[in-house]
Amino acid sequence: MLRGVAAVVGNDVAVFELGVVSEVFGLDRTADGLPAFDFAVCAIEPPPLRTSAGFLIDTPYRLDRLEIADLVAVPAWNPVDKPVPEVLCQALRRAVARGARVMSVCSGAFALAAAGLLDGRRATTHWRYTERLRACYPAVEVDANVLYVDDDPVLTSAGTAAGIDLCLHLVRKEFGAEVANALARRMVVPPHRDGGQAQYVERPVPGVRDGLAPVLDWAREHLHEEQTVEGLARRANMSARSFARHFQAMVGTTPYRWLLDQRITAAQDLLERSRLPIEEVAARCGFTTAAAFRQQFARRVGTSPHRYREQFSHGSARSALNDRSAERPSPTGGSASPNRAGAR
DNA sequence: CAGTAACCCCGCCACG
DNA sequence: AGCGTGGCGGGGTTAC
């Protein structure tokens, strides 16, 4: 259940990070068939609050509002060594204790860490702060190399734009791929970037990049066929070794992992949209056996294909999503600029 | 669920 | 030297 969403802000709130959360959960898109959220920006100090950009924001909500949230988001915590008030720590711990989720964007992980919520968990933050987080909180298993970490009920994401990926991941998890894709389309962002993708993507060589993108597009359109990394490399006129290298630099993940990710995403879509038997879904998405499909699906989505379909296929949000949703615009990686992740 | 074959990936290094 | 390439080995993962 994901309905009540509370964003925690103090003075010097980072506007973009707050904006990310507000964009996903704070706008009423029910007219488009998207879910409604009960969104509240909750001030730690008495409002109005200063923002990092110099203007003021006002809000009627304070920390007591966290009590009724299904998701508490800490968009950022600047500066990272700013003391975290005990009332906030307690509120965050109580949220988790009663079954709510807690998430952070960028430096917001420091607030979660101060509350002890990251102890013994995997977590990430902006790459500029990962060393610092490790040093300040040794009990936290910091992963510097991912866009976000889902250690339900505690989720953390890397710098700013990765917050979008985490929010979409949450929406996908709660409402299914179709809703998440529709939301991504509304926001004009790539529908799905896997959490394991690297924060840092080196700037690709223009010539090589031009050669790689069409191959990715081609691969996506031929997911139902058996694909090998070797075959894709040949299509790109490269050796497997060079292909893998360029792929890593451009997309931020390895060819095979990317391929699996594409297949799973396509399968989620088919599961929601069709009544095709699991075997058929598996085949159409390029899995040679249903067993392999189930295994990969469970690993990546955390549930079985059948249960996933039960949960999402008769959803409430289909009405507005029927026409253009069959062709999805520029999915993960491909020609869409992949190197936003770590950018400040 | 276990065993094996195939495949992937990454460091290393030689080559142009 | 400086840079991209690509072959190789073995450690790891996936497929069946």
Side-chain angles (χ1 to χ4, degrees):
Chain A
M1 177 62 188
L2 177 52
R3 184 173 171 85
V5 179
V8 178
V9 295
N11 270 312
D12 302 311
V13 49
V15 270
F16 190 92
E17 284 77 356
L18 176 60
V20 165
V21 178
S22 308
E23 176 72 20
V24 173
F25 298 111
L27 293 186
D28 183 356
R29 296 190 173 97
T30 50
D32 290 338
L34 293 170
F37 299 102
D38 190 3
F39 182 72
V41 173
C42 305
I44 301 169
E45 294 114 10
L49 300 174
R50 289 188 312 274
T51 69
S52 57
F55 58 86
L56 300 178
I57 60 171
D58 201 358
T59 174
Y61 303 111
R62 302 297 303 272
L63 285 184
D64 55 346
R65 176 66 188 232
L66 301 197
E67 303 296 335
I68 59 164
D70 304 306
L71 171 68
V72 177
V74 183
W77 193 259
N78 294 327
V80 295
D81 52 7
K82 183 169 76 172
V84 181
E86 185 53 29
V87 279
L88 176 56
C89 290
Q90 284 172 6
L92 290 172
R93 283 194 295 263
R94 267 202 308 275
V96 170
R98 71 183 155 77
R101 286 194 175 104
V102 173
M103 66 164 273
S104 68
V105 181
C106 197
S107 53
F110 283 82
L112 306 195
L117 289 178
L118 300 184
D119 289 349
R121 287 185 190 279
R122 285 185 59 230
T124 192
T125 183
H126 192 292
W127 54 265
R128 281 167 65 197
Y129 304 132
T130 47
E131 272 317 309
R132 185 102 180 237
L133 186 62
R134 236 191 290 268
C136 296
Y137 302 97
V140 183
E141 196 184 321
V142 180
D143 192 338
N145 231 355
V146 295
L147 291 180
Y148 56 83
V149 172
D150 176 353
D151 197 345
D152 223 352
V154 179
L155 303 91
T156 49
S157 61
T160 48
I164 299 174
D165 294 295
L166 176 56
C167 289
L168 286 177
H169 166 78
L170 261 176
V171 170
R172 180 178 306 269
K173 202 169 171 177
E174 278 295 315
F175 301 99
E178 195 174 2
V179 169
N181 290 348
L183 182 55
R185 193 156 52 231
R186 275 293 306 271
M187 292 171 59
V188 198
V189 298
H192 183 42
R193 297 198 299 168
D194 194 64
Q197 212 159 311
Q199 291 196 30
Y200 238 167
V201 182
E202 289 158 41
R203 177 174 286 279
V205 183
V208 172
R209 183 216 168 99
D210 293 343
L212 211 42
V215 177
L216 302 197
D217 291 338
W218 181 88
R220 261 194 302 268
E221 285 158 23
H222 295 78
L223 275 185
H224 52 100
E225 297 169 19
E226 203 159 338
Q227 301 283 1
T228 64
V229 175
E230 171 74 34
L232 293 179
R234 257 185 282 119
R235 192 161 272 274
N237 289 319
M238 270 182 251
S239 70
R241 186 70 188 85
S242 292
F243 181 71
R245 234 191 318 247
H246 284 122
F247 198 101
Q248 180 68 250
M250 178 178 152
V251 185
T253 182
T254 65
Y256 189 73
R257 276 197 272 270
W258 176 85
L259 209 49
L260 270 181
D261 192 44
Q262 300 300 310
R263 292 199 208 279
I264 294 293
T265 308
Q268 288 180 307
D269 217 65
L270 265 185
L271 286 171
E272 293 176 37
R273 197 187 308 281
S274 77
R275 303 292 320 167
L276 293 171
I278 306 289
E279 276 76 14
E280 180 63 21
V281 172
R284 290 200 189 192
C285 297
F287 295 92
T288 45
T289 69
F293 170 54
R294 283 182 233 272
Q295 190 179 335
Q296 285 302 332
F297 196 92
R299 272 176 55 99
R300 290 171 177 254
V301 186
T303 182
S304 73
H306 184 259
R307 276 194 297 167
Y308 182 87
R309 168 176 272 164
E310 271 189 338
Q311 193 174 355
F312 295 125
S313 69
H314 44 73
S316 51
R318 12 191 43 347
S319 52
L321 305 170
N322 39 18
D323 47 354
R324 306 189 314 129
S325 38
E327 8 90 44
R328 59 175 50 148
S330 167
T332 316
S335 41
S337 156
N339 52 344
R340 306 170 303 134
R344 91 204 46 215

